[in-house]
Amino acid sequence: MKIMVTVKRVIDYAVKIRVKPDKTGVVTQNVKMSMNPFCEIALEEALRIRESGLASEVVAVSMGPSQCVDTLRTGLAMGADRGIHVEANDSMYPLFVAKILKKLVEIEKPGLLILGKQAIDDDCNQTGQMVAGLLNWPQGTFASKVVLDKEKQVATVDREVDDGIETLCLNLPAVITTDLRLNQPRYATLPNIMKAKSKPIKKFTPKELNVDIKPDLEIVEVTEPPKRKSGVLVSSVDELIEKLKHEANVI
Amino acid sequence: MFKLSSLLFKSKSKSKNALTIIRTFNNLQPCNASTHANSRVPISRNFCTAPERDSIEYDVVIVGAGPAGLSAAIRLKQLCRENDTDLSVCVLEKGSEVGAHILSGNVFEPRALDELLPQWKQQEAPISTPVSSDKFWFLTKNRAISLPSPFDNKGNYVISLSQLVRWMGAKAEELGVEIYPGFAASEILYDSDNKVIGIGTNDMGISKDGSKKETFQRGVEVKGQITLLSEGCRGSLSEQIMKKYNLREKGGAEHQTYALGIKEVWEIDEEKHQPGAVLHTLGWPLDHKTYGGSFLYHMKDRQISLGLVVALNYQNPFMNPYEEFQKFKHHPAIKPFLEGGTVIQYGARTLNEGGFQSVPYPVFPGGAIVGCSAGFLNVPKIKGTHTAMKSGMLAAEAAFGVFNEGLDMNTYWDALRNSWIWEELYKSRNYRPAFKYGLIPGLALSGLEHYILKGRHPITLKHGKPDHEATNAAELHSPIHYPKPDGVFSFDVPTSLHRSNTNHEHDQPPHLRLRDPKIPELTNLPVFAAPESRYCPARVYE
């Protein structure tokens, strides 16, 4: 069985984000970029499944400008066997990613598609769900545990939901999106980074895959959240009630 | 896999037992080759519980992807091309990416870059803001007195050194240099003759108490016929090597002296921004016994870099260089620049000020030391990038001579002394030591050197006491009261640290290891009033 994993190139989680002076987005020039942390977890899970003998190959997919190849190389260094780069210079919204993934799934025919639950730059949390819908595959999102049964061709997924943990049994092929507590991604070792250089990366364009990625969304403005105002010390309960009534308007 | 093993088989003089084979293994399975689909049957390896370290070999291993290290790497590959041969060159960088740990003012003198990559302008190096003005002020608490500028920055540029280094990294990779960021060289490897044969990278995935985590990965050995150390000021491996081979005595050098530079990058108001404007100050907030000064450089895109450099032989143990920097920003001549602006980044780095008198013998069996790890900073010019780069180039030329003509690395030492690095350092050798007599005598002597003598006399002043011996006992001084940060111009350390983009995983062993953990309690506190709580700009001593 093949596993396909998506990896997204995002601004590193430790970087302090700044809004561009023209408010069209955030500053990305000379800013450190890394693999989306949830994508790392997705890839780690795929690698573990392959290492347990339940899958034969892990294919990493990334979509975006030419620098996505760096993210793919990191994925290959962690242990993925092959990479696929869909080159596109426009913003990749979840629906288009999902449509392209559908085409790639039709080409590669994986038994499992694992994604991070969301990307830390747009926090959309949509791609996994959308691609499952397009493919008409079962989905297990916010996975905190994944157990595969090769014979029965099912995946048992523990999902982190508001009330606690929900356990679903999905018939393969299926889509799984990973949450934080699923696993601890491995470090890419130096020998593996060197080996990754010779692993193949196939290139596609959205046009080749017959997917139109003309955006139907337009970013109007990006602003920083308002600065948190400092609290006020009140001297008595009466004053507190006074303020809650007349200033905060909550009672 | 097979391509890599051929690299190993090419290496000379390896006995059967010493042959190391790259094994792919992960610690989720028992350390037993036969169960692995990818492993190869080893010849005579024992399967112990502690995983063996993999070993990778190169012709030249360079530690540190800074200006010196990258210049050496680029020069090596250039020489290979010129001579129709090839050498495998590997650069290891502990930062998460090339340029991540680079911090400098920086007013850049392109002298070395012109020699290394003369087409840098056409190749779009991030050097685009020529110095447009050069001011020098003496500050008192409330005034700024303009002095004639002792610098000649004509032909120099205001740059971001980390961006330049990033660009140099890309150029090096284009030439075939392998650069691996995210890997710190943590130990030196020796052979049975005590010759340096490479370095070992650190183990990863160790928890706070020292035990192995799920993600544990053993470090690797990166071996080279020649190892160049370009770790920057006070590089840990370089210091070890200098001690082991007595390189300071061998070069007839004095001890190294240091300064701490604390820097912020601001984005300021359009009207206040003058691209290429260079300002240096002396005096307030530092007292006349403390050597140091500030800098304020206008880069492009409305950004300025400003900072305070304090020599570490200051006497008052109550001094807090970070707070002095915050104080400095409130000076009536400095504040106006910052009004309406935002801080973007913060960082700090030590630099060496020993100059000519402190350059150690830079060659050791198996390699050499380049850049600030040896210490080629020109103190009166306040520039060390161009000399660091040149030293990297000279080391590369010497190393190439070793491979190509069977010469030895000592030609690097000769080349250094015949180069413009030596000329510069010799000429400027007395400026800093003159200040051991105090600020005014220092200025007077420096003025004499600069305008009249120009170093053309046989006297070489010695440094004062080593920095750590210059700290007075707390009883000789009174605590300094520093104003509270106002959150607009001055900030507390946690806020600044957040801006430095340093982010360490909590569950790892502390980066600092005290040689004697009793000293802070027995000496630092009673005698010096715990200066470590004040001298670190990242507040790592808690």
Side-chain angles (χ1 to χ4, degrees):
Chain A
M1 179 180 76
K2 224 188 273 186
I3 306 181
M4 189 181 273
V5 181
T6 53
V7 293
K8 188 176 182 187
R9 180 174 178 264
V10 296
I11 296 180
D12 188 86
Y13 76 93
V15 168
K16 195 166 184 290
I17 312 281
R18 280 196 311 132
V19 177
K20 283 202 278 214
D22 60 7
K23 295 197 181 171
T24 54
V26 296
V27 175
T28 48
Q29 229 203 11
N30 287 320
V31 156
K32 177 158 199 284
M33 306 293 273
S34 313
M35 191 189 290
N36 182 34
F38 295 108
C39 297
E40 283 183 345
I41 295 173
L43 184 53
E44 173 65 28
E45 197 59 27
L47 295 172
R48 289 188 187 190
I49 296 173
R50 185 194 65 195
E51 279 155 8
S52 68
L54 296 169
S56 55
E57 206 186 11
V58 173
V59 183
V61 178
S62 193
M63 306 184 195
S66 55
Q67 294 95 327
C68 287
V69 173
D70 297 334
T71 314
L72 280 173
R73 289 278 171 221
T74 308
L76 295 171
M78 279 172 71
D81 301 291
R82 282 189 289 124
I84 296 178
H85 174 215
V86 180
E87 182 142 14
N89 284 313
D90 314 301
S91 318
M92 297 295 289
Y93 292 113
L95 185 55
F96 305 130
V97 176
K99 286 184 180 173
I100 293 177
L101 271 178
K102 174 166 186 266
K103 288 288 157 87
L104 290 174
V105 162
E106 285 164 10
I107 297 173
E108 292 282 340
K109 304 200 199 339
L112 202 52
L113 178 58
I114 313 184
L115 305 89
K117 71 173 182 184
Q118 66 197 57
I120 61 172
D121 53 5
D122 53 23
D123 284 330
C124 281
N125 195 335
Q126 296 168 6
T127 311
Q129 292 87 332
M130 283 176 170
V131 74
L134 289 172
L135 288 169
N136 207 20
W137 281 11
Q139 56 181 279
T141 52
F142 310 102
S144 63
K145 187 161 156 209
V146 173
V147 178
L148 243 57
D149 189 330
K150 202 169 187 183
E151 278 180 40
K152 298 202 197 125
Q153 284 287 294
V154 289
T156 309
V157 177
D158 282 3
R159 304 180 57 228
E160 288 194 13
V161 295
D162 291 341
D163 314 8
I165 308 272
E166 180 189 52
T167 308
L168 291 182
C169 198
L170 318 172
N171 290 325
L172 298 182
V175 174
I176 295 178
T177 73
T178 62
D179 208 327
L180 208 54
R181 274 160 283 272
L182 179 57
N183 60 44
Q184 248 300 17
R186 63 192 63 183
Y187 292 106
T189 60
L190 200 48
N192 285 341
I193 292 177
M194 294 173 179
K195 267 180 248 166
K197 284 195 219 164
S198 50
K199 289 186 185 176
I201 295 182
K202 187 140 193 247
K203 276 205 185 338
F204 286 103
T205 59
K207 211 168 175 185
E208 285 170 13
L209 298 169
N210 280 321
V211 177
D212 177 21
I213 59 165
K214 198 156 137 305
D216 50 7
L217 291 174
E218 182 198 332
I219 294 182
V220 176
E221 189 187 56
V222 177
T223 50
E224 266 186 43
K227 291 234 179 312
R228 231 189 117 189
K229 282 197 278 248
S230 55
V232 176
L233 281 175
V234 293
S235 51
S236 67
V237 178
D238 289 323
E239 199 187 333
L240 176 62
I241 296 177
E242 182 54 47
K243 283 199 188 285
L244 286 174
K245 240 194 207 161
H246 299 284
E247 280 183 35
N249 294 320
V250 291
I251 42 173
Chain B
M1 255 279 255
F2 296 99
K3 218 161 140 200
L4 211 53
S5 60
S6 67
L7 231 169
L8 289 170
F9 282 96
K10 229 198 279 177
S11 66
K12 349 170 185 155
S13 66
K14 281 268 181 247
S15 71
K16 201 168 187 223
N17 285 340
L19 194 69
T20 37
I21 299 171
I22 299 281
R23 297 194 310 243
T24 42
F25 72 91
N26 58 68
N27 43 302
L28 297 175
Q29 286 201 322
C31 192
N32 185 334
S34 55
T35 58
H36 261 278
N38 284 339
S39 71
R40 304 156 61 110
V41 178
I43 298 172
S44 57
R45 279 262 169 265
N46 57 326
F47 295 96
C48 49
T49 44
E52 289 275 337
R53 274 205 296 209
D54 290 335
S55 181
I56 311 162
E57 302 197 4
Y58 288 91
D59 292 313
V60 182
V61 174
I62 300 176
V63 179
L70 290 175
S71 297
I74 292 173
R75 191 78 193 103
L76 272 168
K77 284 293 187 179
Q78 286 174 341
L79 287 165
C80 287
R81 287 197 177 182
E82 285 165 31
N83 288 278
D84 212 13
T85 172
D86 199 20
L87 291 170
S88 57
V89 180
C90 171
V91 180
L92 291 163
E93 163 57 41
K94 71 178 195 242
S96 56
E97 51 172 18
V98 174
H101 284 204
I102 298 290
L103 189 139
S104 178
N106 181 296
V107 175
F108 182 66
E109 184 179 313
R111 187 169 188 182
L113 188 61
D114 286 336
E115 290 178 23
L116 183 69
L117 295 163
Q119 302 288 315
W120 57 259
K121 212 179 201 120
Q122 293 90 317
Q123 292 173 331
E124 295 179 336
I127 304 172
S128 54
T129 312
V131 173
S132 57
S133 67
D134 215 341
K135 297 209 176 81
F136 188 52
W137 293 346
F138 184 88
L139 297 181
T140 62
K141 184 149 190 252
N142 294 308
R143 298 175 56 213
I145 305 159
S146 202
L147 293 177
S149 172
F151 308 108
D152 177 16
N153 278 314
K154 205 172 43 217
N156 295 341
Y157 296 82
V158 178
I159 64 163
S160 155
L161 189 59
S162 65
Q163 280 185 36
L164 177 61
V165 166
R166 227 170 282 174
W167 176 84
M168 286 176 73
K171 289 278 152 275
E173 288 192 305
E174 278 169 29
L175 288 169
V177 175
E178 290 177 44
I179 306 180
Y180 297 107
F183 292 96
S186 60
E187 70 174 285
I188 306 167
L189 306 170
Y190 302 94
D191 67 7
S192 46
D193 290 320
N194 246 343
K195 175 172 172 232
V196 171
I197 51 169
I199 55 96
T201 65
N202 51 333
D203 293 343
M204 295 198 259
I206 303 184
S207 71
K208 211 164 185 149
D209 61 11
S211 59
K212 297 183 194 160
K213 291 197 285 199
E214 187 189 33
T215 48
F216 177 77
Q217 292 280 11
R218 194 90 167 82
V220 297
E221 298 188 346
V222 184
K223 297 195 178 149
Q225 302 272 357
I226 292 181
T227 305
L228 295 180
L229 299 177
S230 50
E231 300 167 286
C233 176
R234 220 169 150 78
S236 18
L237 298 185
S238 308
E239 294 291 316
Q240 274 179 45
I241 292 270
M242 283 195 265
K243 207 166 172 192
K244 182 180 171 93
Y245 296 105
N246 278 324
L247 298 181
R248 283 244 132 78
E249 277 142 46
K250 193 164 177 200
E254 283 197 77
H255 55 270
Q256 186 61 267
T257 64
Y258 303 95
L260 175 64
I262 306 179
K263 172 186 174 189
E264 282 174 3
V265 175
W266 284 63
E267 196 175 68
I268 59 172
D269 246 348
E270 188 76 51
E271 302 103 54
K272 312 215 173 122
H273 187 240
Q274 310 147 35
V278 166
L279 166 66
H280 292 104
T281 77
L282 219 55
W284 191 88
L286 303 173
D287 62 31
H288 61 272
K289 286 224 180 77
T290 310
Y291 181 83
S294 80
F295 61 89
L296 203 162
Y297 306 144
H298 293 241
M299 304 186 280
K300 62 182 171 97
D301 296 335
R302 286 168 45 208
Q303 291 187 356
I304 59 164
S305 72
L306 82 159
L308 184 69
V309 178
V310 182
L312 291 178
N313 63 344
Y314 62 80
Q315 296 174 354
N316 186 345
F318 291 105
M319 193 178 64
N320 185 326
Y322 173 83
E323 294 292 345
E324 297 287 344
F325 174 53
Q326 301 304 318
K327 214 160 88 182
F328 160 77
K329 287 186 281 174
H330 284 275
H331 189 279
I334 302 289
K335 208 181 202 170
F337 285 110
L338 308 177
E339 269 156 11
T342 10
V343 193
I344 302 174
Q345 270 223 0
Y346 163 79
R349 182 71 171 99
T350 47
L351 23 81
N352 34 53
E353 298 202 318
F356 180 79
Q357 291 89 325
S358 302
V359 177
Y361 193 81
V363 182
F364 52 85
I369 308 179
V370 298
C372 284
S373 294
F376 301 111
L377 193 142
N378 182 330
V379 179
K381 256 191 186 177
I382 333 177
K383 293 181 180 65
T385 318
H386 62 312
T387 46
M389 288 173 68
K390 181 67 175 166
S391 72
M393 291 158 67
L394 293 175
E397 284 160 17
F400 190 75
V402 170
F403 287 101
N404 215 32
E405 294 163 64
L407 304 170
D408 75 71
M409 271 311 279
N410 292 300
T411 53
Y412 170 47
W413 179 232
D414 301 325
L416 271 176
R417 286 175 302 164
N418 284 319
S419 70
W420 49 259
I421 301 178
W422 219 247
E423 236 180 83
E424 269 198 42
L425 291 185
Y426 184 73
K427 195 162 160 205
S428 55
R429 70 194 183 285
N430 286 323
Y431 285 76
R432 176 69 185 88
F435 283 85
K436 71 180 179 216
Y437 304 116
L439 183 63
I440 307 297
L443 280 173
L445 277 167
S446 301
L448 186 65
E449 275 281 0
H450 186 81
Y451 293 107
I452 302 173
L453 296 174
K454 301 196 202 280
R456 290 190 290 250
H457 58 88
I459 304 172
T460 300
L461 293 176
K462 281 197 184 308
H463 294 314
K465 291 184 248 190
D467 294 342
H468 57 277
E469 287 176 22
T471 320
N472 283 344
E475 60 190 12
L476 298 172
H477 296 269
S478 40
I480 305 177
H481 167 74
Y482 289 106
K484 262 192 146 63
D486 67 357
V488 181
F489 300 100
S490 49
F491 310 95
D492 58 15
V493 179
T495 313
S496 291
L497 270 180
H498 179 51
R499 292 192 189 113
S500 67
N501 283 337
T502 42
N503 199 301
H504 295 297
E505 213 197 282
H506 290 289
D507 191 15
Q508 63 177 309
H511 293 182
L512 297 168
R513 279 187 306 229
L514 300 176
R515 251 178 276 180
D516 181 354
K518 292 207 215 66
I519 294 185
E521 239 179 292
L522 298 176
T523 314
N524 286 23
L525 189 54
V527 182
F528 301 103
E532 67 273 11
S533 59
R534 288 180 291 275
Y535 58 53
C536 179
R539 202 72 47 86
V540 298
Y541 301 95
E542 290 175 305

